[in-house]
């Protein structure tokens, strides 16, 4: 990586120093009815950990956060705070909310750097749990259940755990060393992570996991299959690429795993990104860091764009251009047979515009690898797994639970965590119940034997 590219991918927002963090924490008004907590999807005890930080009790602050979150260093960086905790802060009315995300990030980073003393953990004798996938949902279930005395094993198809956290979010937003540090903390809870293992292939199935003695299984496989535009003429031309593939390649390049020539982008190329979500913003801002001329093409208005507002504003500041209410009706080949231009449908009418590359960021859907190798898992018309309300999160296959994007459509990291926490609580109740029933059957069998004697 060149020195210029290295600088381009450095973290955009640096964290607080210790003095800055404590001074910011002191600004908290300690509201009797804290709106910030209401705005947090996982109900983080924000006033409590901010108060501990304001007194310099960083270890206590970390313990409070750990009661609700297993990924604070990540949430502190990538959560849409403006819509959640900070957006609900009463001081936001004057445009100066407490910087809750940066405080959470500081506490978690300090904990990692200083390797603070961990709480004593219970013995892992409450039940045996398998987790499929190590993205935000899988890591949350694993952490929550390990803290409550369950033996947890994560099965991950990639060569390294983390899912979208490791392979989808750009380095400048979420450094990979931060992801690895958070995962190391979850492993320290006693969680076993097995990589390069795709459930649904090579004879490893949900059924085989149950045969190995797992009491319950959590399916947190996310939405691994990106949507395409194959019904649009020219969509299969070279130069029309998925944003997720592009981001994965750039992350691998930043890690030194592949060379620059393997990244599907050349300096100076004109790039279009189709979509208006956070993946589109990531792809656009990443492409511009590699020297491209980037335009986002979004079929709706700016007000309807689902991306985080701050991500959009930073993209504009970095030089990304936007065309609103614009869709592509045809991809047109150039003289070399590659993509050369796009036919655009705009409010002003149809026009053609030159593009060297197009990155698609129009959503994704679940893979069917697990569903197709397991009897009894029902999905909806788009392939999302159906779950029941009681036990919450259990699929139509008994003992198999699911949560996160594979159930609730693609969302943010913290919303996947929220769903996973609810499912984890339900799984604990389920395993406790089946253990109790098993114990009752043993007692009945013993009593029957005694009566026969």
């Amino acid at each position: 990586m060149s020195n210029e590219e290295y600088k381009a991918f450095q973290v955009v927002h640096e964290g607080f120093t210790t003095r800055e963090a404590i001074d910011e924490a002191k600004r908290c008004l300690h509201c009797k009815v804290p709106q910030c907590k209401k705005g947090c999807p996982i109900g983080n005890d924000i006033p409590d950990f901010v108060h501990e930080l304001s007194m310099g009790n960083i270890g206590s602050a970390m313990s409070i956060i750990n009661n609700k979150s297993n990924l604070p260093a990540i949430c502190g960086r990538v959560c849409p705070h403006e819509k959640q905790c900070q957006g609900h802060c009463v001081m936001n009315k004057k445009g100066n909310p407490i910087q809750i995300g940066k405080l959470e990030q500081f506490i978690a980073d300090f904990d990692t750097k200083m390797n603070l003393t961990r709480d004593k953990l219970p013995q892992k004798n409450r039940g045996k749990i398998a987790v499929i996938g190590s993205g935000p949902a899988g890591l949350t279930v694993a952490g929550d259940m390990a803290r409550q005395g369950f033996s947890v094993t994560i099965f991950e198809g990639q060569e390294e755990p983390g899912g979208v956290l490791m392979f989808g979010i750009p380095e400048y937003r979420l450094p990979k060393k931060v992801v690895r540090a958070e995962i190391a903390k979850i492993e320290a809870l006693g969680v076993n992570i097995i990589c390069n293992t795709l459930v649904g292939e090579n004879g490893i199935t949900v059924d085989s996991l149950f045969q190995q003695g797992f009491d319950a299984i959590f399916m947190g496989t996310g939405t691994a299959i990106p949507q395409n535009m194959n019904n649009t003429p020219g969509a299969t031309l070279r130069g029309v690429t998925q944003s997720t593939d592009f981001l994965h390649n750039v992350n691998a390049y930043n890690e030194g795993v592949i060379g620059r020539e393997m990244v599907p982008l050349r300096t100076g190329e004109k790039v279009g990104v189709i979509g208006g979500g956070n993946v589109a913003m990531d792809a656009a801002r990443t492409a511009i860091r590699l020297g491209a001329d980037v335009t986002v093409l979004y079929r709706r208005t700016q007000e309807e764009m689902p991306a985080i507002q701050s991500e959009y504003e930073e993209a504009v500041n970095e030089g990304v251009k936007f065309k609103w209410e614009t869709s592509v009706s045809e991809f047109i080949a150039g003289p070399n047979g590659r993509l050369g231009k796009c036919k655009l449908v705009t409010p002003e009418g149809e026009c053609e515009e030159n593009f060297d590359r197009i990155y698609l960021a129009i959503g994704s859907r679940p893979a069917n690898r697990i569903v197709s190798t397991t009897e009894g898992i029902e999905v909806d018309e788009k392939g999302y797994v159906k779950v029941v309300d009681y036990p919450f999160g259990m699929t139509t296959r008994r003992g198999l639970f699911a949560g996160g994007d594979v159930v609730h459509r693609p969302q943010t990291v913290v919303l996947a965590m929220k769903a996973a926490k609810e499912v984890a609580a339900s799984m604990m109740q389920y395993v406790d119940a089946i253990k109790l029933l098993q114990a009752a059957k043993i007692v009945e069998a013993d009593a029957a034997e005694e009566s026969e004697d």
Side-chain angles (χ1 to χ4, degrees):
M1 176 178 290
S2 67
N3 190 48
E4 290 75 15
E5 287 176 343
Y6 175 79
K7 290 179 180 178
F9 280 93
Q10 293 303 288
V11 174
V12 175
H13 299 292
E14 295 295 338
F16 281 139
T17 64
T18 303
R19 177 173 290 279
E20 289 170 341
I22 292 176
D23 286 345
E24 180 68 10
K26 288 178 179 177
R27 293 179 53 231
C28 180
L29 300 178
H30 307 294
C31 307
K32 288 186 177 179
V33 182
Q35 297 301 313
C36 57
K37 183 174 179 178
K38 289 186 177 181
C40 176
I42 59 174
N44 235 326
D45 297 311
I46 295 168
D48 293 344
F49 77 68
V50 170
H51 179 63
E52 291 296 329
L53 175 59
S54 72
M55 297 187 294
N57 300 330
I58 301 175
S60 298
M62 188 73 242
S63 294
I64 292 169
I65 291 173
N66 279 339
N67 288 332
K68 295 294 177 66
S69 175
N70 292 298
L71 305 171
I74 292 169
C75 289
R77 288 171 164 87
V78 303
C79 273
H81 303 106
E82 65 201 33
K83 295 181 180 180
Q84 296 174 350
C85 53
Q86 287 173 202
H88 285 71
C89 175
V90 295
M91 297 175 71
N92 192 42
K93 294 178 181 178
K94 296 184 178 180
N96 193 24
I98 303 298
Q99 298 298 299
I100 299 166
K102 291 185 73 173
L103 293 181
E104 183 179 27
Q105 174 185 331
F106 169 80
I107 294 165
D109 288 352
F110 186 93
D111 176 79
T112 297
K113 188 183 301 181
M114 303 306 294
N115 193 24
L116 299 181
T117 302
R118 303 278 173 248
D119 295 332
K120 291 183 178 179
L121 296 171
Q123 287 187 336
K124 303 295 190 291
N125 56 7
R126 192 171 164 188
K128 188 178 177 184
I129 303 298
V131 172
I132 307 172
S134 63
L139 292 173
T140 296
V141 168
D144 278 10
M145 298 193 76
R147 290 179 190 279
Q148 297 301 318
F150 289 87
S151 174
V152 183
T153 300
I154 296 177
F155 295 90
E156 168 57 47
Q158 297 276 4
E159 68 275 8
E160 189 172 3
V164 67
L165 305 173
M166 182 60 69
F167 301 107
I169 301 177
E171 180 77 10
Y172 65 85
R173 284 184 63 204
L174 182 60
K176 300 304 165 270
K177 66 178 182 180
V178 172
V179 179
R180 292 186 177 107
E182 293 285 75
I183 292 172
K185 290 180 183 179
I186 290 174
E187 288 182 291
L189 298 174
V191 174
N192 181 33
I193 302 179
I194 302 174
C195 292
N196 295 310
T197 303
L198 276 173
V199 176
E201 291 186 0
N202 301 318
I204 303 173
T205 65
V206 166
D207 292 327
S208 72
L209 292 178
F210 277 124
Q211 289 166 8
Q212 292 178 35
F214 288 102
D215 298 304
I217 299 172
F218 176 77
M219 183 178 168
T221 48
T223 49
I225 308 298
Q227 304 279 18
N228 57 48
M229 294 179 62
N230 286 349
N231 291 330
T232 303
T236 58
L237 285 171
R238 288 181 60 204
V240 181
T241 310
Q242 289 291 345
S243 289
T244 50
D245 293 339
F246 169 60
L247 292 169
H248 195 147
N249 280 339
V250 174
N251 279 329
Y253 170 55
N254 284 335
E255 290 281 303
V257 176
I258 63 174
R260 177 66 176 83
E261 71 281 358
M262 297 294 291
V263 177
L265 178 65
R266 299 294 167 259
T267 301
E269 287 186 325
K270 185 171 182 182
V271 170
V273 179
I274 300 178
N278 291 326
V279 173
M281 297 303 104
D282 287 344
R285 296 179 66 192
T286 296
I288 214 161
R289 280 166 167 73
L290 293 174
D293 176 359
V294 184
T295 302
V296 171
L297 310 171
Y298 184 51
R299 61 191 175 94
R300 294 177 176 162
T301 65
Q302 178 180 344
E303 291 71 29
E304 294 174 290
M305 182 178 64
I308 301 171
Q309 180 66 19
S310 59
E311 288 290 305
Y312 162 69
E313 292 172 356
E314 289 176 7
V316 171
N317 291 336
E318 291 167 359
V320 177
K321 299 182 284 291
F322 287 79
K323 286 185 180 292
W324 309 110
E325 298 180 85
T326 298
S327 59
V328 176
S329 62
E330 184 178 357
F331 301 98
I332 303 170
N336 57 2
R338 291 175 49 87
L339 175 71
K341 60 180 66 176
C342 293
K343 184 178 288 186
L344 306 180
V345 180
T346 73
E348 293 77 31
E350 284 193 345
C351 64
E352 291 184 0
E353 187 169 336
N354 294 332
F355 284 101
D356 298 302
R357 294 184 191 272
I358 289 288
Y359 296 126
L360 305 179
I362 56 174
S364 54
R365 57 184 173 82
N368 70 347
R369 187 178 60 253
I370 295 175
V371 172
S372 64
T373 58
T374 306
E375 292 289 337
I377 305 177
E378 292 184 13
V379 298
D380 67 13
E381 68 282 357
K382 293 187 177 180
Y384 291 91
V385 176
K386 292 182 178 180
V387 295
V388 298
D389 291 332
Y390 189 81
F392 181 81
M394 191 161 79
T395 69
T396 50
R397 169 69 162 86
R398 183 181 175 186
L400 175 65
F401 293 74
D405 290 356
V406 73
V407 172
H408 296 95
R409 310 297 193 273
Q411 301 185 75
T412 61
V413 169
V414 72
L415 288 175
M417 290 172 58
K418 176 190 177 187
K421 291 185 77 66
E422 293 171 348
V423 175
S426 179
M427 289 177 70
M428 294 181 208
Q429 293 175 343
Y430 170 81
V431 175
D432 287 346
I434 62 173
K435 295 286 187 184
L436 186 60
L437 287 172
Q438 289 168 356
K441 288 179 180 178
I442 292 172
V443 171
E444 287 178 4
D446 289 344
E449 285 184 10
E450 288 179 5
S451 65
E452 289 177 1
D453 293 341

